[in-house]
Amino acid sequence: MSEIAHADRAHALLSPSGAHRWLHCTPSARLEATLPDSKTEASRRGELAHEISELKLQKIFSGLPTRSFNASLKKFKGHELYEPIMDDHTNAYVDYIQSIVHTFPSPPYVVIERSVDLTDFVPESSGTSDCIIIGGGKLHVIDYKNGQGVPVPAEDNPQMKLYALGALKAFSLLFPITEVHLAIVQPKVWDQPSEWSLPVADLLAWGESIKPIAQAAFNGEGEYSSGDHCGFCRARINCRARVEHMLDASSLAPLKPPLISWGEVGEVLRKAEGIDKWYKALKEAALAEVLKGGQVAGWKAVEGRGGRDYANMDAAFAHLKEKGIEEAVLYERKPLTPPQLEEALTKKVYKELLEEPGHVIKRAGTPTLAHEDDKRPAITNQVKPEDAFSAPIE
Ligand code: SF4
C-alpha cells in the first residue's frame, strides 16, 4: 500500500485531535504513547481525501498551475484507496470555503494546512489546521472530516478551539480578531457543515481553563475516566477503566496495571458475551418508550438521517429512457454467488454444471473466536515445525 503524504505529520503527545480524550481522561495520552498506532483503512482514506482537498484549495487560493494540479489529481485518483465519491465530498468542502470567502466584501486572508503553535495553553503541543480564513474581525477555522461512523459537531469542539487558539497566536498581531467561527465539513454525515461561533474573549478564557488539565495530561497524572471519548483511544480494547465502566466489574479492582492481561481478556469476553445484543435491545426498548411519550433519563428520540426514494419508479425510469438514458445505466447487473446459484439451479444441476467440472473452489473461513469446548479444531497463524520441514526445498 503506498504512503499518503498527509500521514507523515508528526503528532504532539497532546494533539488537538486527541483533546476530547486527554481533557476527559488525563492519563490517557501517556498510556497511548506506549501503544502502537495501528491505522485503519478508513483513517488512511481520510488522509487521501485531505490531500485531494488541499490540492483543490491550492489551485484556487495559491495559484497552483493547472498542469501540476491535473498531474497530482491523476496520481491521487490512481491510489488504491481512492473512491469516486471523494471527488464530490472534497468539492463540498471546497465549495463551503469559497462560500465563506464570498461573504467578505474584500478578499480575506486564507491559509491552507497551517501548522499552529499551542504551547501557550498545552505543553509541547502543536497541530495543523485544514483551513483558516481571516477578515473583517472574524476568524474562521474549517476542518474536513471524511469519517462516517462518528458525527463530529463543531459546537464546543476542543480540537477546533485549539486550532483557533493557535490561529489567534499566529495572526492576531497582524489582524484584529473579535469573533471566532468554527466549522466541520463531514459530507458522509451531514449535508450541511456543522458550525459554531464564540467571541475571542470566551475562547481565550477556555484556553486558560484547560491549562491545568493539559499539564496533568502531559505529566500523565489524574484518574482514568471512560466515556464516549474512548472510541478512538489506542487503549480502548483493553483499558481497565473502560472495562470496569462497561461491566461495572467491581472484582477488577483499581490500582492494578492500566492494561488488562490476556487471562483477564478471556474472563471479560465471557462476562460480556451478548452485551452488544443486549445493549441494542435495550436501546430499541428505550426508543419505543420515548416515542410513546415516556421518559428515559438522559435520552430522547430524534429524526435519523433521511433517505431518498422515487415518487413513482416506473414513471421516473420511463422519463429517463425518454430523455435518452440507457437502460444499462439504470440497473445493476450482479453475478449470483455460488450459494445463490445452488438455490436457483437446484443442488443437482449446480453440482453437475459447476461443482464437478471444477468451477467452484472452497475458501477457508475467516478465523473466529470460539469457546474452548467448540468441536472445530483450533487454528493458528504460526507455522508448525512439521509443515516447515515438509515443504519442498527449491
Ligand atoms: S480507553 Fe481508557 S485510557 Fe483511553 S480514554 Fe478511555 S478510559 Fe482513558
Side-chain angles (χ1 to χ4, degrees), residues 23 121 161 165 202-214:
L23 283 170
F121 301 94
K161 288 195 283 188
L165 284 171
D202 289 4
L203 178 69
L204 291 170
W206 176 80
E208 288 300 322
S209 76
I210 64 161
K211 276 184 178 178
I213 307 172

Side-chain angles (χ1 to χ4, degrees), residues 27-281:
S28 63
R30 289 279 170 200
L31 178 62
E32 280 196 90
T34 66
L35 301 171
D37 181 11
S38 49
K39 281 197 176 158
T40 62
E41 191 172 300
S43 67
R44 289 177 50 77
R45 190 169 278 129
E47 287 165 358
L48 179 63
H50 270 91
E51 289 292 320
I52 295 172
S53 307
E54 183 182 351
L55 182 75
K56 290 180 176 178
L57 291 176
Q58 276 176 347
K59 181 165 188 288
I60 297 167
F61 296 106
S62 310
L64 180 72
T66 303
R67 182 180 282 209
S68 311
F69 171 80
N70 288 341
S72 299
L73 190 62
K74 190 174 172 204
K75 198 176 114 212
F76 290 139
K77 287 190 172 181
H79 195 280
E80 63 216 331
L81 292 178
Y82 176 78
E83 45 190 12
I85 196 73
M86 243 177 221
D87 217 27
D88 290 351
H89 289 162
T90 51
N91 282 346
Y93 168 67
V94 171
D95 288 350
Y96 176 72
I97 288 171
Q98 284 188 294
S99 75
I100 296 294
V101 167
H102 290 142
T103 59
F104 291 88
S106 55
Y109 182 67
V110 180
V111 257
I112 304 153
E113 297 291 327
R114 165 72 191 222
S115 171
V116 288
D117 175 11
L118 305 171
T119 51
D120 285 354
F121 301 94
V122 181
E124 296 184 15
S125 183
S126 63
T128 306
S129 173
D130 288 348
C131 181
I132 294 168
I133 301 173
I134 306 171
K138 293 177 185 168
L139 163 68
H140 287 264
V141 177
I142 303 165
D143 205 51
Y144 175 82
K145 301 235 178 271
N146 199 57
Q148 174 168 34
V150 182
V152 186
E155 185 175 351
D156 217 11
N157 184 303
Q159 178 185 12
M160 299 300 288
K161 288 195 283 188
L162 284 171
Y163 288 150
L165 284 171
L168 273 183
K169 177 171 179 170
F171 301 112
S172 59
L173 283 180
L174 297 172
F175 304 96
I177 298 170
T178 53
E179 282 172 46
V180 177
H181 300 274
L182 310 177
I184 293 177
V185 182
Q186 194 175 8
K188 287 186 179 170
V189 175
W190 292 307
D191 292 337
Q192 294 300 320
S194 169
E195 298 175 310
W196 194 62
S197 303
L198 75 167
V200 163
D202 289 4
L203 178 69
L204 291 170
W206 176 80
E208 288 300 322
S209 76
I210 64 161
K211 276 184 178 178
I213 307 172
Q215 189 60 55
F218 187 73
N219 298 343
E221 295 165 353
E223 299 284 323
Y224 288 98
S225 165
S226 72
D228 62 1
H229 52 273
C230 298
F232 292 107
C233 181
R234 286 181 210 167
R236 65 187 177 277
I237 307 292
N238 52 350
C239 169
R240 183 178 299 280
R242 191 165 189 234
V243 170
E244 288 182 357
H245 173 82
M246 284 176 69
L247 301 183
D248 194 22
S250 52
S251 60
L252 303 176
L255 302 180
K256 287 185 185 173
L259 302 182
I260 59 172
S261 67
W262 287 114
E264 287 168 294
V265 166
E267 193 193 350
V268 169
L269 284 174
R270 190 183 51 73
K271 278 190 178 173
E273 226 168 15
I275 204 168
D276 49 350
K277 280 195 193 139
W278 165 78
Y279 183 77
K280 193 165 170 261

